[in-house]
Amino acid sequence: MKQRHLCAALSLLAAIIVSANAQALEPGDDVFVVSGQVEHPKRYKYSDLLALPKTQQNITYYGGGSLSTTAFTGVLLWDVLNAAGIVLDPLIKNDILRRVVVVTGTDGYKSVFTLGELAPNFGGNQVMVVYAANGAPLDTQGPTRIAVPTDKQGGRFVSNIATIKVTRGLQ
Ligand SMILES: Nc1nc2c(c(=O)[nH]1)N[C@H]1C(S)=C(S)[C@@H](COP(=O)(O)O)O[C@H]1N2
Ligand SMILES: [Mo]
C-alpha cells in the first residue's frame, strides 16, 4: 500500500516536471527562414541545425538588469550562413566587409551583425544560433535564439528567431 502511494506520488512529480519543461524539438520542426544574398535561401528545420557542428558556450550577460550565466547549445551563426552559401561580388575588394545580417524575432525585434565580425578570418566572433539552454530546449525564447559570447547585455540575443537575412549592406 505504502509503495503504491510512493509510486503515485512519483508519477505525479514526473508529470509536473515534464509539463514544466519546454516541448522538445523534433528534427522535422521548422525553425527559421534564411534569405537574402545566399545561394540556397530556405526554411530551416531543426534537422538542418543538427547537421551542423554542435557548439556549447557558457555565456554571462545582463538581461533585465540581472547578471546570469547560461550554458547555451547550438551552432555558429557563421556555419548557418556558410551552409546557405553567402553570395559575394568577386569584383569588389573584401565585399564580405560590406555585408550585414539582419536577425528578426517573431515579435519583429531585430538586431544586425556584420559578416566582418562573424567571419573566422576577420572578427571570428562565435555568435551562436541556440536551440537549448542549460541542457533543456528553450521555452518562451524558442525554438531558437541568438547568443553572443562577447556581449555584456542580452540585447542582441534575439529570441524566437523568425528570419535571418543576408543583405548587401553598403553598396
Ligand atoms: N525577439 C526578441 N528577442 C529579444 C528581446 C525582445 O524583445 N524580442 N529582448 C532582448 C533583450 S533587451 C534582452 S536583455 C534579452 C533577454 O534575454 P533573457 O530573457 O534570456 O535574459 O533578450 C533579447 N532578445
Ligand atoms: Mo535588455
Side-chain angles (χ1 to χ4, degrees), residues 77-100:
L77 175 56
W78 175 257
D79 287 343
V80 171
L81 299 174
N82 221 27
I86 300 161
V87 177
L88 296 173
D89 184 342
L91 298 178
I92 297 176
K93 182 174 180 180
N94 279 332
D95 189 25
I96 192 168
L97 301 183
R98 302 174 179 223
R99 298 303 171 108
V100 171

Side-chain angles (χ1 to χ4, degrees), residues 121-164:
N121 52 334
F122 288 106
N125 195 338
Q126 308 268 292
V127 175
M128 298 176 75
V129 171
V130 160
Y131 49 75
N134 297 325
L138 305 176
D139 39 55
T140 56
Q141 300 93 21
T144 61
R145 77 174 310 174
I146 295 291
V148 188
T150 52
D151 281 10
K152 310 288 183 286
Q153 286 196 184
R156 296 203 290 177
F157 291 37
V158 179
S159 56
N160 298 294
I161 301 172
T163 60
I164 297 177

Side-chain angles (χ1 to χ4, degrees), residues 56-76:
Q56 275 170 306
Q57 294 187 85
N58 294 330
I59 302 179
T60 301
Y61 65 102
Y62 278 98
S66 67
L67 192 66
S68 62
T69 301
T70 305
F72 286 114
T73 305
V75 298
L76 295 183

